[in-house]
PDB file of all heavy atoms in Angstrom:
ATOM      1  N   TYR A   6     200.330 133.028 129.381  1.00 89.00           N
ATOM      2  CA  TYR A   6     199.949 132.681 130.749  1.00 89.00           C
ATOM      3  C   TYR A   6     198.599 133.311 131.042  1.00 89.00           C
ATOM      4  O   TYR A   6     198.409 134.509 130.835  1.00 89.00           O
ATOM      5  CB  TYR A   6     200.993 133.191 131.750  1.00 89.00           C
ATOM      6  CG  TYR A   6     200.647 132.856 133.176  1.00 89.00           C
ATOM      7  CD1 TYR A   6     200.911 131.594 133.693  1.00 89.00           C
ATOM      8  CD2 TYR A   6     200.032 133.792 133.996  1.00 89.00           C
ATOM      9  CE1 TYR A   6     200.579 131.287 134.996  1.00 89.00           C
ATOM     10  CE2 TYR A   6     199.699 133.490 135.298  1.00 89.00           C
ATOM     11  CZ  TYR A   6     199.974 132.231 135.793  1.00 89.00           C
ATOM     12  OH  TYR A   6     199.635 131.924 137.083  1.00 89.00           O
ATOM     13  N   LEU A   7     197.658 132.502 131.496  1.00 87.00           N
ATOM     14  CA  LEU A   7     196.320 132.969 131.835  1.00 87.00           C
ATOM     15  C   LEU A   7     195.953 132.401 133.196  1.00 87.00           C
ATOM     16  O   LEU A   7     196.055 131.195 133.421  1.00 87.00           O
ATOM     17  CB  LEU A   7     195.316 132.490 130.788  1.00 87.00           C
ATOM     18  CG  LEU A   7     193.842 132.744 131.080  1.00 87.00           C
ATOM     19  CD1 LEU A   7     193.534 134.229 130.994  1.00 87.00           C
ATOM     20  CD2 LEU A   7     192.975 131.976 130.113  1.00 87.00           C
ATOM     21  N   ASP A   8     195.550 133.272 134.110  1.00 87.00           N
ATOM     22  CA  ASP A   8     195.091 132.859 135.441  1.00 87.00           C
ATOM     23  C   ASP A   8     193.729 133.500 135.624  1.00 87.00           C
ATOM     24  O   ASP A   8     193.616 134.714 135.741  1.00 87.00           O
ATOM     25  CB  ASP A   8     196.072 133.333 136.504  1.00 87.00           C
ATOM     26  CG  ASP A   8     195.740 132.820 137.898  1.00 87.00           C
ATOM     27  OD1 ASP A   8     194.585 132.423 138.140  1.00 87.00           O
ATOM     28  OD2 ASP A   8     196.650 132.832 138.737  1.00 87.00           O
ATOM     29  N   ARG A   9     192.668 132.680 135.596  1.00 83.00           N
ATOM     30  CA  ARG A   9     191.299 133.194 135.604  1.00 83.00           C
ATOM     31  C   ARG A   9     190.597 132.791 136.897  1.00 83.00           C
ATOM     32  O   ARG A   9     190.573 131.616 137.247  1.00 83.00           O
ATOM     33  CB  ARG A   9     190.555 132.637 134.397  1.00 83.00           C
ATOM     34  CG  ARG A   9     189.142 133.143 134.273  1.00 83.00           C
ATOM     35  CD  ARG A   9     188.471 132.624 133.022  1.00 83.00           C
ATOM     36  NE  ARG A   9     189.074 133.244 131.856  1.00 83.00           N
ATOM     37  CZ  ARG A   9     189.157 132.676 130.668  1.00 83.00           C
ATOM     38  NH1 ARG A   9     188.691 131.483 130.462  1.00 83.00           N
ATOM     39  NH2 ARG A   9     189.698 133.306 129.654  1.00 83.00           N
ATOM     40  N   LEU A  10     190.010 133.778 137.582  1.00 83.00           N
ATOM     41  CA  LEU A  10     189.219 133.555 138.792  1.00 83.00           C
ATOM     42  C   LEU A  10     187.748 133.662 138.421  1.00 83.00           C
ATOM     43  O   LEU A  10     187.332 134.657 137.823  1.00 83.00           O
ATOM     44  CB  LEU A  10     189.565 134.607 139.854  1.00 83.00           C
ATOM     45  CG  LEU A  10     188.683 134.646 141.099  1.00 83.00           C
ATOM     46  CD1 LEU A  10     188.834 133.368 141.912  1.00 83.00           C
ATOM     47  CD2 LEU A  10     189.039 135.874 141.935  1.00 83.00           C
ATOM     48  N   PHE A  11     186.951 132.658 138.777  1.00 80.00           N
ATOM     49  CA  PHE A  11     185.529 132.649 138.449  1.00 80.00           C
ATOM     50  C   PHE A  11     184.739 133.245 139.607  1.00 80.00           C
ATOM     51  O   PHE A  11     184.806 132.743 140.733  1.00 80.00           O
ATOM     52  CB  PHE A  11     185.055 131.225 138.145  1.00 80.00           C
ATOM     53  CG  PHE A  11     185.675 130.678 136.895  1.00 80.00           C
ATOM     54  CD1 PHE A  11     186.824 129.920 136.949  1.00 80.00           C
ATOM     55  CD2 PHE A  11     185.119 130.964 135.665  1.00 80.00           C
ATOM     56  CE1 PHE A  11     187.400 129.439 135.789  1.00 80.00           C
ATOM     57  CE2 PHE A  11     185.688 130.489 134.494  1.00 80.00           C
ATOM     58  CZ  PHE A  11     186.829 129.728 134.562  1.00 80.00           C
ATOM     59  N   ILE A  12     183.984 134.315 139.303  1.00 78.00           N
ATOM     60  CA  ILE A  12     183.268 135.003 140.372  1.00 78.00           C
ATOM     61  C   ILE A  12     181.802 135.252 140.065  1.00 78.00           C
ATOM     62  O   ILE A  12     181.137 135.956 140.804  1.00 78.00           O
ATOM     63  CB  ILE A  12     183.951 136.353 140.700  1.00 78.00           C
ATOM     64  CG1 ILE A  12     184.057 137.227 139.459  1.00 78.00           C
ATOM     65  CG2 ILE A  12     185.291 136.136 141.357  1.00 78.00           C
ATOM     66  CD1 ILE A  12     184.593 138.619 139.708  1.00 78.00           C
ATOM     67  N   ASN A  13     181.277 134.674 138.980  1.00 69.00           N
ATOM     68  CA  ASN A  13     179.854 134.891 138.695  1.00 69.00           C
ATOM     69  C   ASN A  13     179.234 133.693 137.989  1.00 69.00           C
ATOM     70  O   ASN A  13     179.881 132.682 137.772  1.00 69.00           O
ATOM     71  CB  ASN A  13     179.639 136.185 137.907  1.00 69.00           C
ATOM     72  CG  ASN A  13     180.242 136.141 136.525  1.00 69.00           C
ATOM     73  OD1 ASN A  13     180.359 135.091 135.918  1.00 69.00           O
ATOM     74  ND2 ASN A  13     180.637 137.284 136.022  1.00 69.00           N
ATOM     75  N   ALA A  14     178.005 133.833 137.595  1.00 57.00           N
ATOM     76  CA  ALA A  14     177.232 132.718 137.043  1.00 57.00           C
ATOM     77  C   ALA A  14     177.590 132.358 135.605  1.00 57.00           C
ATOM     78  O   ALA A  14     177.028 131.424 135.060  1.00 57.00           O
ATOM     79  CB  ALA A  14     175.741 133.044 137.128  1.00 57.00           C
ATOM     80  N   LYS A  15     178.521 133.040 134.950  1.00 60.00           N
ATOM     81  CA  LYS A  15     178.863 132.754 133.557  1.00 60.00           C
ATOM     82  C   LYS A  15     179.948 131.676 133.443  1.00 60.00           C
ATOM     83  O   LYS A  15     180.616 131.579 132.444  1.00 60.00           O
ATOM     84  CB  LYS A  15     179.320 134.025 132.854  1.00 60.00           C
ATOM     85  CG  LYS A  15     178.237 135.055 132.718  1.00 60.00           C
ATOM     86  CD  LYS A  15     178.727 136.265 131.961  1.00 60.00           C
ATOM     87  CE  LYS A  15     177.624 137.301 131.856  1.00 60.00           C
ATOM     88  NZ  LYS A  15     178.036 138.490 131.165  1.00 60.00           N
ATOM     89  N   ILE A  16     180.085 130.862 134.432  1.00 57.00           N
ATOM     90  CA  ILE A  16     181.151 129.869 134.473  1.00 57.00           C
ATOM     91  C   ILE A  16     181.082 128.844 133.343  1.00 57.00           C
ATOM     92  O   ILE A  16     182.087 128.587 132.699  1.00 57.00           O
ATOM     93  CB  ILE A  16     181.200 129.168 135.847  1.00 57.00           C
ATOM     94  CG1 ILE A  16     181.627 130.189 136.899  1.00 57.00           C
ATOM     95  CG2 ILE A  16     182.157 127.984 135.828  1.00 57.00           C
ATOM     96  CD1 ILE A  16     181.501 129.715 138.311  1.00 57.00           C
ATOM     97  N   PRO A  17     179.953 128.229 133.011  1.00 55.00           N
ATOM     98  CA  PRO A  17     179.969 127.179 131.981  1.00 55.00           C
ATOM     99  C   PRO A  17     180.548 127.630 130.649  1.00 55.00           C
ATOM    100  O   PRO A  17     181.195 126.864 129.967  1.00 55.00           O
ATOM    101  CB  PRO A  17     178.495 126.798 131.841  1.00 55.00           C
ATOM    102  CG  PRO A  17     177.903 127.148 133.156  1.00 55.00           C
ATOM    103  CD  PRO A  17     178.649 128.372 133.616  1.00 55.00           C
ATOM    104  N   MET A  18     180.350 128.894 130.262  1.00 52.00           N
ATOM    105  CA  MET A  18     180.890 129.396 129.001  1.00 52.00           C
ATOM    106  C   MET A  18     182.416 129.414 129.016  1.00 52.00           C
ATOM    107  O   MET A  18     183.054 129.328 127.990  1.00 52.00           O
ATOM    108  CB  MET A  18     180.358 130.815 128.760  1.00 52.00           C
ATOM    109  CG  MET A  18     180.785 131.414 127.440  1.00 52.00           C
ATOM    110  SD  MET A  18     180.096 133.047 127.190  1.00 52.00           S
ATOM    111  CE  MET A  18     181.348 134.065 127.944  1.00 52.00           C
ATOM    112  N   SER A  19     183.037 129.490 130.190  1.00 51.00           N
ATOM    113  CA  SER A  19     184.484 129.667 130.285  1.00 51.00           C
ATOM    114  C   SER A  19     185.193 128.457 130.871  1.00 51.00           C
ATOM    115  O   SER A  19     186.311 128.567 131.304  1.00 51.00           O
ATOM    116  CB  SER A  19     184.783 130.893 131.147  1.00 51.00           C
ATOM    117  OG  SER A  19     184.157 132.029 130.636  1.00 51.00           O
ATOM    118  N   ALA A  20     184.558 127.304 130.935  1.00 69.00           N
ATOM    119  CA  ALA A  20     185.141 126.153 131.607  1.00 69.00           C
ATOM    120  C   ALA A  20     186.104 125.361 130.734  1.00 69.00           C
ATOM    121  O   ALA A  20     186.524 124.297 131.106  1.00 69.00           O
ATOM    122  CB  ALA A  20     184.036 125.244 132.141  1.00 69.00           C
ATOM    123  N   GLY A  21     186.470 125.866 129.589  1.00 80.00           N
ATOM    124  CA  GLY A  21     187.437 125.201 128.729  1.00 80.00           C
ATOM    125  C   GLY A  21     188.273 126.229 127.995  1.00 80.00           C
ATOM    126  O   GLY A  21     187.929 127.400 127.934  1.00 80.00           O
ATOM    127  N   GLU A  22     189.394 125.783 127.465  1.00 84.00           N
ATOM    128  CA  GLU A  22     190.273 126.654 126.692  1.00 84.00           C
ATOM    129  C   GLU A  22     190.622 125.951 125.393  1.00 84.00           C
ATOM    130  O   GLU A  22     190.703 124.719 125.346  1.00 84.00           O
ATOM    131  CB  GLU A  22     191.564 126.959 127.453  1.00 84.00           C
ATOM    132  CG  GLU A  22     191.368 127.698 128.754  1.00 84.00           C
ATOM    133  CD  GLU A  22     190.936 129.136 128.567  1.00 84.00           C
ATOM    134  OE1 GLU A  22     191.084 129.681 127.464  1.00 84.00           O
ATOM    135  OE2 GLU A  22     190.447 129.718 129.545  1.00 84.00           O
ATOM    136  N   SER A  23     190.856 126.721 124.347  1.00 85.00           N
ATOM    137  CA  SER A  23     191.285 126.190 123.062  1.00 85.00           C
ATOM    138  C   SER A  23     192.552 126.914 122.626  1.00 85.00           C
ATOM    139  O   SER A  23     192.628 128.138 122.706  1.00 85.00           O
ATOM    140  CB  SER A  23     190.198 126.385 122.002  1.00 85.00           C
ATOM    141  OG  SER A  23     189.042 125.665 122.341  1.00 85.00           O
ATOM    142  N   ILE A  24     193.536 126.143 122.172  1.00 87.00           N
ATOM    143  CA  ILE A  24     194.792 126.696 121.669  1.00 87.00           C
ATOM    144  C   ILE A  24     194.873 126.311 120.195  1.00 87.00           C
ATOM    145  O   ILE A  24     194.819 125.130 119.848  1.00 87.00           O
ATOM    146  CB  ILE A  24     196.007 126.132 122.428  1.00 87.00           C
ATOM    147  CG1 ILE A  24     195.881 126.430 123.930  1.00 87.00           C
ATOM    148  CG2 ILE A  24     197.300 126.701 121.862  1.00 87.00           C
ATOM    149  CD1 ILE A  24     196.927 125.724 124.769  1.00 87.00           C
ATOM    150  N   TYR A  25     195.020 127.307 119.333  1.00 85.00           N
ATOM    151  CA  TYR A  25     195.058 127.087 117.889  1.00 85.00           C
ATOM    152  C   TYR A  25     196.512 127.120 117.422  1.00 85.00           C
ATOM    153  O   TYR A  25     197.283 128.004 117.820  1.00 85.00           O
ATOM    154  CB  TYR A  25     194.248 128.163 117.171  1.00 85.00           C
ATOM    155  CG  TYR A  25     192.792 128.134 117.558  1.00 85.00           C
ATOM    156  CD1 TYR A  25     192.336 128.836 118.670  1.00 85.00           C
ATOM    157  CD2 TYR A  25     191.884 127.383 116.826  1.00 85.00           C
ATOM    158  CE1 TYR A  25     191.001 128.787 119.050  1.00 85.00           C
ATOM    159  CE2 TYR A  25     190.551 127.333 117.188  1.00 85.00           C
ATOM    160  CZ  TYR A  25     190.117 128.032 118.300  1.00 85.00           C
ATOM    161  OH  TYR A  25     188.797 127.978 118.665  1.00 85.00           O
ATOM    162  N   TYR A  26     196.891 126.176 116.548  1.00 87.00           N
ATOM    163  CA  TYR A  26     198.256 126.133 116.041  1.00 87.00           C
ATOM    164  C   TYR A  26     198.290 125.429 114.690  1.00 87.00           C
ATOM    165  O   TYR A  26     197.286 124.892 114.232  1.00 87.00           O
ATOM    166  CB  TYR A  26     199.187 125.452 117.048  1.00 87.00           C
ATOM    167  CG  TYR A  26     198.880 123.991 117.286  1.00 87.00           C
ATOM    168  CD1 TYR A  26     199.603 123.010 116.630  1.00 87.00           C
ATOM    169  CD2 TYR A  26     197.879 123.604 118.171  1.00 87.00           C
ATOM    170  CE1 TYR A  26     199.331 121.680 116.843  1.00 87.00           C
ATOM    171  CE2 TYR A  26     197.606 122.269 118.394  1.00 87.00           C
ATOM    172  CZ  TYR A  26     198.335 121.304 117.724  1.00 87.00           C
ATOM    173  OH  TYR A  26     198.066 119.981 117.938  1.00 87.00           O
ATOM    174  N   GLY A  27     199.456 125.463 114.037  1.00 84.00           N
ATOM    175  CA  GLY A  27     199.612 124.846 112.723  1.00 84.00           C
ATOM    176  C   GLY A  27     201.074 124.808 112.332  1.00 84.00           C
ATOM    177  O   GLY A  27     201.960 124.851 113.185  1.00 84.00           O
ATOM    178  N   ASP A  28     201.349 124.775 111.027  1.00 83.00           N
ATOM    179  CA  ASP A  28     202.731 124.688 110.541  1.00 83.00           C
ATOM    180  C   ASP A  28     203.557 125.927 110.861  1.00 83.00           C
ATOM    181  O   ASP A  28     204.771 125.845 110.996  1.00 83.00           O
ATOM    182  CB  ASP A  28     202.759 124.459 109.031  1.00 83.00           C
ATOM    183  CG  ASP A  28     202.355 123.038 108.652  1.00 83.00           C
ATOM    184  OD1 ASP A  28     202.343 122.155 109.543  1.00 83.00           O
ATOM    185  OD2 ASP A  28     202.044 122.808 107.470  1.00 83.00           O
ATOM    186  N   PHE A  29     202.933 127.081 110.967  1.00 84.00           N
ATOM    187  CA  PHE A  29     203.674 128.322 111.209  1.00 84.00           C
ATOM    188  C   PHE A  29     203.818 128.654 112.689  1.00 84.00           C
ATOM    189  O   PHE A  29     204.523 129.584 113.048  1.00 84.00           O
ATOM    190  CB  PHE A  29     203.020 129.494 110.482  1.00 84.00           C
ATOM    191  CG  PHE A  29     203.099 129.370 108.994  1.00 84.00           C
ATOM    192  CD1 PHE A  29     201.965 129.127 108.249  1.00 84.00           C
ATOM    193  CD2 PHE A  29     204.312 129.477 108.333  1.00 84.00           C
ATOM    194  CE1 PHE A  29     202.031 129.006 106.875  1.00 84.00           C
ATOM    195  CE2 PHE A  29     204.399 129.359 106.961  1.00 84.00           C
ATOM    196  CZ  PHE A  29     203.254 129.118 106.226  1.00 84.00           C
ATOM    197  N   ASN A  30     203.120 127.920 113.540  1.00 86.00           N
ATOM    198  CA  ASN A  30     203.270 128.123 114.975  1.00 86.00           C
ATOM    199  C   ASN A  30     203.025 126.804 115.709  1.00 86.00           C
ATOM    200  O   ASN A  30     201.961 126.228 115.649  1.00 86.00           O
ATOM    201  CB  ASN A  30     202.329 129.218 115.493  1.00 86.00           C
ATOM    202  CG  ASN A  30     200.873 128.883 115.328  1.00 86.00           C
ATOM    203  OD1 ASN A  30     200.479 128.215 114.377  1.00 86.00           O
ATOM    204  ND2 ASN A  30     200.065 129.327 116.250  1.00 86.00           N
ATOM    205  N   ARG A  31     204.076 126.328 116.378  1.00 88.00           N
ATOM    206  CA  ARG A  31     203.980 125.102 117.159  1.00 88.00           C
ATOM    207  C   ARG A  31     203.716 125.456 118.618  1.00 88.00           C
ATOM    208  O   ARG A  31     204.087 126.530 119.074  1.00 88.00           O
ATOM    209  CB  ARG A  31     205.288 124.309 117.053  1.00 88.00           C
ATOM    210  CG  ARG A  31     205.585 123.817 115.655  1.00 88.00           C
ATOM    211  CD  ARG A  31     206.843 122.945 115.601  1.00 88.00           C
ATOM    212  NE  ARG A  31     207.940 123.362 116.455  1.00 88.00           N
ATOM    213  CZ  ARG A  31     208.878 124.247 116.113  1.00 88.00           C
ATOM    214  NH1 ARG A  31     208.831 124.837 114.934  1.00 88.00           N
ATOM    215  NH2 ARG A  31     209.845 124.550 116.931  1.00 88.00           N
ATOM    216  N   VAL A  32     203.101 124.540 119.340  1.00 90.00           N
ATOM    217  CA  VAL A  32     202.789 124.767 120.744  1.00 90.00           C
ATOM    218  C   VAL A  32     203.500 123.713 121.579  1.00 90.00           C
ATOM    219  O   VAL A  32     203.441 122.524 121.280  1.00 90.00           O
ATOM    220  CB  VAL A  32     201.262 124.709 120.979  1.00 90.00           C
ATOM    221  CG1 VAL A  32     200.938 124.806 122.448  1.00 90.00           C
ATOM    222  CG2 VAL A  32     200.572 125.819 120.210  1.00 90.00           C
ATOM    223  N   THR A  33     204.205 124.167 122.623  1.00 91.00           N
ATOM    224  CA  THR A  33     204.921 123.261 123.519  1.00 91.00           C
ATOM    225  C   THR A  33     204.667 123.674 124.967  1.00 91.00           C
ATOM    226  O   THR A  33     204.111 124.742 125.235  1.00 91.00           O
ATOM    227  CB  THR A  33     206.440 123.299 123.252  1.00 91.00           C
ATOM    228  OG1 THR A  33     206.925 124.617 123.515  1.00 91.00           O
ATOM    229  CG2 THR A  33     206.780 122.907 121.818  1.00 91.00           C
ATOM    230  N   ASN A  34     205.125 122.839 125.879  1.00 94.00           N
ATOM    231  CA  ASN A  34     205.080 123.130 127.323  1.00 94.00           C
ATOM    232  C   ASN A  34     203.696 123.543 127.815  1.00 94.00           C
ATOM    233  O   ASN A  34     203.559 124.486 128.593  1.00 94.00           O
ATOM    234  CB  ASN A  34     206.100 124.211 127.698  1.00 94.00           C
ATOM    235  CG  ASN A  34     207.506 123.845 127.295  1.00 94.00           C
ATOM    236  OD1 ASN A  34     207.900 122.690 127.399  1.00 94.00           O
ATOM    237  ND2 ASN A  34     208.254 124.814 126.817  1.00 94.00           N
ATOM    238  N   VAL A  35     202.664 122.841 127.382  1.00 93.00           N
ATOM    239  CA  VAL A  35     201.303 123.165 127.799  1.00 93.00           C
ATOM    240  C   VAL A  35     201.086 122.659 129.219  1.00 93.00           C
ATOM    241  O   VAL A  35     201.319 121.485 129.514  1.00 93.00           O
ATOM    242  CB  VAL A  35     200.250 122.544 126.852  1.00 93.00           C
ATOM    243  CG1 VAL A  35     198.847 122.847 127.328  1.00 93.00           C
ATOM    244  CG2 VAL A  35     200.467 123.041 125.429  1.00 93.00           C
ATOM    245  N   ARG A  36     200.667 123.559 130.085  1.00 94.00           N
ATOM    246  CA  ARG A  36     200.320 123.204 131.460  1.00 94.00           C
ATOM    247  C   ARG A  36     198.961 123.813 131.760  1.00 94.00           C
ATOM    248  O   ARG A  36     198.750 125.004 131.557  1.00 94.00           O
ATOM    249  CB  ARG A  36     201.356 123.739 132.448  1.00 94.00           C
ATOM    250  CG  ARG A  36     202.725 123.092 132.219  1.00 94.00           C
ATOM    251  CD  ARG A  36     203.648 123.191 133.408  1.00 94.00           C
ATOM    252  NE  ARG A  36     203.044 122.545 134.556  1.00 94.00           N
ATOM    253  CZ  ARG A  36     203.158 123.008 135.789  1.00 94.00           C
ATOM    254  NH1 ARG A  36     203.817 124.096 136.041  1.00 94.00           N
ATOM    255  NH2 ARG A  36     202.597 122.372 136.802  1.00 94.00           N
ATOM    256  N   ALA A  37     198.062 122.984 132.224  1.00 94.00           N
ATOM    257  CA  ALA A  37     196.732 123.445 132.599  1.00 94.00           C
ATOM    258  C   ALA A  37     196.409 122.898 133.979  1.00 94.00           C
ATOM    259  O   ALA A  37     196.712 121.742 134.283  1.00 94.00           O
ATOM    260  CB  ALA A  37     195.698 122.967 131.580  1.00 94.00           C
ATOM    261  N   ALA A  38     195.799 123.734 134.809  1.00 93.00           N
ATOM    262  CA  ALA A  38     195.441 123.320 136.163  1.00 93.00           C
ATOM    263  C   ALA A  38     194.175 124.040 136.591  1.00 93.00           C
ATOM    264  O   ALA A  38     193.845 125.111 136.072  1.00 93.00           O
ATOM    265  CB  ALA A  38     196.572 123.633 137.134  1.00 93.00           C
TER     266      ALA A  38
END
Side-chain angles (χ1 to χ4, degrees):
Y6 180 81
L7 173 70
D8 186 340
R9 182 177 290 150
L10 171 66
F11 294 94
I12 56 175
N13 66 29
K15 294 183 181 179
I16 293 170
M18 183 178 89
S19 304
E22 298 289 343
S23 297
I24 302 171
Y25 298 87
Y26 65 98
D28 287 344
F29 294 110
N30 63 327
R31 296 184 322 273
V32 174
T33 62
N34 304 322
V35 178
R36 296 200 59 217

